[in-house]
Structure formats: structure tokens, C-alpha cells
Amino acid sequence: MSNGAGIQELMAAETRASQIVAEARIARGDRMKQAKADAQELINSYRSEKQEEFNNTVLAAGGSGGSASAKLQAETNETISVMRGQFQRNQQKAIDVLLSKCCEVSLEVPTAPVRFTPKLYG
């Protein structure tokens, strides 16, 4: 009977060991979730701090973001109008150059260099 009792004791020890392992896995998962939540909280606080610094820098540099955007839009529109003026001034010159290159046909036949090759046969 001691053999049967020994087997029962081993089975009980195995059951306890599997319970301990399962509890350890659950505890590890809980610790990981808590660490992730803590890290996300730190990230959010850092992000809000940096956003605040950025907003203060933008306000100190040139006012609200809307005025900076309006200024950039005005500069862009001015650049576009300058480019359109340049296009209008140079349009005919470009057409003339293209037409002159297309319509000027040289009727001379270029002389091809004659190659002297030794005759292999004859």
C-alpha cells in the first residue's frame, strides 16, 4: 500500500506544482498589464508637457498657429503669382526656340568616316 500512497502523494505534488505555475503566469500577466498602464501614463504626461512647450514656443515666435498658416499661405500665393508672370513673359521665347529647332533642317549629308578594314578573302 505504500506504493499507492507514494503515487497519490506524487500526483498531489504535481497538482500543487501546476497550480503554482498557473498562479505565477496570472501574476506575471497582471504585472505586465500594470507596467503597460504605468508606461502609457508616463508617455501621456511627457507628450502633454512637450505639446505645452511647443505651443508656448509657437506663441512666442509669431502668435497663433492660424496667423503662421495665413502668412505661409500669403507667401505661397505671392510665389505662385511671380511664377505665373515669369511664365507669361517667357512663353513666347520658349515657343520660338522649340519651333526654330524643329523647323531648321540641315540638308547636308554628313560624311561618314571610311573604315579601312583588311580584306580577309580575295
Side-chain angles (χ1 to χ4, degrees), residues 1-54:
M1 276 301 208
S2 72
N3 224 2
I7 291 175
Q8 290 295 329
E9 192 175 323
L10 283 174
M11 290 178 67
E14 185 178 337
T15 304
R16 283 193 309 266
S18 65
Q19 288 174 348
I20 290 170
V21 168
E23 289 172 1
R25 284 185 182 147
I26 292 171
R28 179 175 173 251
D30 291 342
R31 284 193 310 271
M32 292 295 287
K33 287 178 186 176
Q34 183 62 41
K36 185 177 179 180
D38 292 345
Q40 190 62 44
E41 185 178 323
L42 283 172
I43 289 169
N44 290 339
S45 67
Y46 182 77
R47 180 176 288 144
S48 65
E49 177 184 324
K50 289 300 177 182
Q51 184 66 39
E52 180 85 20
E53 287 178 23
F54 174 74

Side-chain angles (χ1 to χ4, degrees), residues 3 6-7 11 33 35 48 51-52 55-57 69 72 76 79-81 86 89-91 102 105 108 110:
N3 224 2
I7 291 175
M11 290 178 67
K33 287 178 186 176
S48 65
Q51 184 66 39
E52 180 85 20
N55 291 341
N56 290 339
T57 304
S69 175
L72 180 62
T76 303
T79 304
I80 289 172
S81 65
Q86 290 173 344
R89 283 192 303 275
N90 296 324
Q91 180 179 9
C102 292
V105 178
E108 294 179 17

